């Protein structure tokens, strides 16, 4: 499957299939189309337009065409859209459908809306342009300009209206917007005339216009409903995740998150704070904030295997299990939480992007604390050897590779943000009396250390974006680590307050010894009387 995904020959076979399919659709188009007198000329025109679309897609959409499954989604979606448009034109050409309603019943926004939600605005706009150009070859000669403008404007409207879809109701709003635009264009080009000829009754004119309005909005809403129904199918087939799915995955009642709340509450709280930091930082640079939030929830899920070995889950006064381990063994336990997290994520069928973040959020960084501890132990043993109290052969071997995470390094901006947020949140716990200057200095030191260690080399973040991320971290931490007013004790009224407390306890005992009034309980819940209050 991987070889098919990346095969150049498969890709060009898909390009050829799209071009031939487009040419066949144009050949079998409307009887009154532009190229009815010369069908082969129309077929050649459709084939050339398809080749231009393929060339533009291959050159300008490298990220979209890197995988052949995405090529199938884009070009197959466009071909399916053209087939549906042609079918709608054929069905509305009979005499039972008045000419004024024909364009209002065509789903112009189907492929642009679907591609815009799944693959982004650029692919949606590309789809809108080329389905409009090719679709114009299907319609009668006198309606080419009207079809081209209506299809293009409705498609671009759908793409703009679905820029950031987080709820399915937004698709319905986009469908209504498309219907409104189609209706306005029909009125502007006098396909649908509100006033009509002078010999037509006003009620008939209103009825005709009302049916046109209903047709336009019904087509837009049905298109949105169809896209909403197809989204889960295409997400599963093509391994894509939309904003709607990320919002659904952010539910804290997931089985793994519930386990984390009970078995590793410190890690769970740490993950919530990391999620807040990462989401705000992603918003500041235009990255996927919903993805950052969800992946942050699960990034340390591997700590569920041995939660007591991580400091955030250790209670004050409790024995630290690392005290009985060598630094090398402690580092192995700490490093293993990445592999354990991947195993749990695969077992619970989490999103592949979440698994990537679990693998990448530490990169191949150094477990510095235990590495430094191992060096200190080696230094102490070396001093004993120099004093003749030990054997040089018994000196521990400290290899830096044994104290590094296996990687890979963060490969996306979202993964890099989560990696930085994880380190920043952990370090913020060590600040005593945090001030804005201390917070900013800590963030600068952590980011600089990560950059010098090469951990951000592959995540495609510019220096300007890193500056915005640091500023976002500083703002978020300042709001989290704010101080509270220390309320003074009222020492002068201590005796009075003591007497008041005694009398309040006496009143409480007196009231508790009395039976409850039946009228003071409703629905199984008791309500105190004014005297008890």
């Amino acid at each position: 499957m991987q070889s098919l995904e990346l095969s150049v020959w498969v890709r060009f076979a898909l390009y050829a299939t799209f071009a031939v399919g487009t040419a066949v659709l144009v050949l079998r188009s409307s009887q009154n189309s532009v190229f009815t007198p010369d069908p082969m000329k129309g077929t050649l025109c459709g084939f050339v337009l398809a080749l231009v679309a393929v060339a533009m897609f291959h050159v300008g959409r490298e990220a979209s065409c890197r995988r052949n499954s995405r090529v199938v989604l884009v070009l197959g979606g466009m071909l399916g859209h053209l087939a549906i448009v042609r079918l709608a034109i054929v069905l509305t050409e009979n005499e039972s459908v008045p000419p004024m309603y024909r364009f209002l019943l065509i789903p112009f926004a189907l492929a642009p809306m679907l591609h815009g939600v799944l693959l982004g605005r650029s692919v949606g706009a590309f789809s809108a342009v080329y389905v409009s150009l090719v679709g114009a070859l299907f319609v009668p000669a006198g309606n080419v300009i009207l079809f081209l403008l209506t299809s293009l404007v409705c498609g671009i409207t759908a793409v703009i209206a679905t820029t950031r879809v987080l709820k399915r109701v937004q698709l319905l709003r986009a469908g209504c917007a498309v219907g409104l635009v189609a209706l306005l264009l029909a009125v502007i080009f006098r396909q649908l005339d509100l006033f009509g000829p002078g010999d037509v009754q006003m009620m008939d004119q209103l009825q005709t216009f009302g049916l046109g309005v209903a047709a336009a909005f019904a087509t837009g809403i049905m298109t949105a409903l169809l896209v909403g129904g197809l989204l889960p199918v295409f997400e599963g087939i093509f391994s894509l995740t939309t904003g709607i799915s990320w919002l659904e995955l952010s539910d804290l009642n997931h089985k793994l998150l519930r386990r984390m709340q009970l078995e590793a509450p410190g890690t769970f709280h740490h993950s919530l704070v990391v999620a807040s930091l990462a989401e705000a930082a992603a918003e500041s640079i235009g990255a996927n904030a919903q993805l950052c939030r969800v992946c942050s929830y699960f990034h340390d899920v591997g700590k569920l295997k041995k939660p007591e070995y991580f400091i955030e889950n250790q209670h004050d006064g409790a024995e630290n299990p690392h005290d009985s381990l060598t630094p090398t063994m402690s580092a192995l336990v700490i490093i293993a939480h990445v592999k354990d997290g991947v195993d749990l994520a695969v077992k619970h069928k989490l999103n592949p992007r979440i698994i990537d973040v679990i693998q990448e959020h530490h990169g191949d960084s150094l477990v510095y604390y235990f590495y430094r501890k191992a060096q200190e132990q080696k230094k102490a043993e070396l001093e004993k050897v120099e004093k003749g109290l030990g054997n040089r052969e018994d000196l521990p071997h400290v290899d830096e590779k044994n104290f590094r995470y296996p990687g890979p390094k963060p490969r996306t901006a979202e993964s890099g943000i989560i990696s930085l947020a994880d380190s920043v949140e952990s370090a913020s716990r060590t600040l005593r009396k945090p001030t804005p200057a201390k917070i900013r200095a800590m963030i600068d030191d952590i980011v600089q250390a990560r950059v010098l260690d090469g951990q951000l080399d592959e995540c495609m973040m510019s220096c300007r974006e890193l500056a915005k991320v640091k500023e976002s971290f500083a703002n978020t931490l300042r709001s989290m680590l704010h101080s509270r007013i220390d309320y003074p004790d009222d020492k002068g009224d201590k005796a009075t307050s003591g007497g008041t407390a005694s009398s309040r306890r006496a009143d409480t005992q007196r009231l508790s010894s009395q039976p409850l009034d039946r009228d003071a309980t409703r629905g199984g819940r008791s309500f105190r009387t004014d005297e008890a209050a």
Side-chain angles (χ1 to χ4, degrees), residues 243-414:
I244 298 173
S245 296
W246 284 123
L247 199 63
E248 293 171 350
L249 288 170
S250 65
D251 184 11
L252 294 178
N253 289 313
H254 190 278
K255 185 184 296 185
L256 283 176
L257 297 180
R258 294 291 297 172
R259 275 189 61 192
M260 195 185 296
Q261 293 180 48
L262 298 174
E263 300 175 24
T267 301
F268 178 72
H269 180 262
H270 161 75
S271 299
L272 293 182
V273 178
V274 170
S276 298
L277 288 167
E279 183 179 32
E283 287 279 2
S284 68
I285 66 170
N288 193 330
Q290 288 74 35
L291 183 152
C292 285
R293 172 168 285 277
V294 175
C295 292
S296 297
Y297 288 158
F298 293 95
H299 79 285
D300 271 344
V301 73
K303 293 180 179 180
L304 284 172
K305 284 291 184 71
K306 296 178 180 179
E308 68 277 4
Y309 282 84
F310 297 90
I311 188 65
E312 65 266 23
N313 300 313
Q314 296 173 4
H315 303 289
D316 292 338
E319 182 182 357
N320 190 338
H322 289 286
D323 294 341
S324 59
L325 299 178
T326 64
T328 303
M329 286 302 300
S330 294
L332 288 176
V333 172
I334 298 298
I335 292 171
H337 87 272
V338 173
K339 178 182 177 298
D340 295 336
V342 172
D343 292 341
L344 283 173
V346 171
K347 180 180 178 182
H348 288 82
K349 299 179 180 179
L350 293 183
N351 190 282
R353 296 294 297 273
I354 299 177
I355 298 175
D356 290 342
V357 169
I358 293 174
Q359 288 179 312
E360 297 170 5
H361 77 279
H362 281 297
D364 59 358
S365 60
L366 185 68
V367 184
Y368 183 76
Y369 177 82
F370 290 111
Y371 177 67
R372 185 66 179 270
K373 187 175 180 180
Q375 287 183 320
E376 290 175 354
Q377 286 188 358
K378 182 177 180 180
K379 184 178 179 181
E381 293 294 329
L382 185 60
E383 290 177 354
K384 290 182 180 179
V385 170
E386 291 175 351
K387 294 178 181 179
L389 301 177
N391 189 354
R392 185 173 292 275
E393 295 179 356
D394 295 334
L395 287 175
H397 176 65
V398 180
D399 188 357
E400 184 178 311
K401 293 181 180 179
N402 296 331
F403 293 86
R404 284 194 175 272
Y405 286 94
K409 297 176 182 178
R411 291 173 289 187
T412 62
E414 290 82 5

Side-chain angles (χ1 to χ4, degrees), residues 35-48:
F35 296 103
T36 298
D38 191 356
M40 292 307 298
K41 186 176 181 180
T43 302
L44 181 61
C45 186
F47 185 76
V48 171

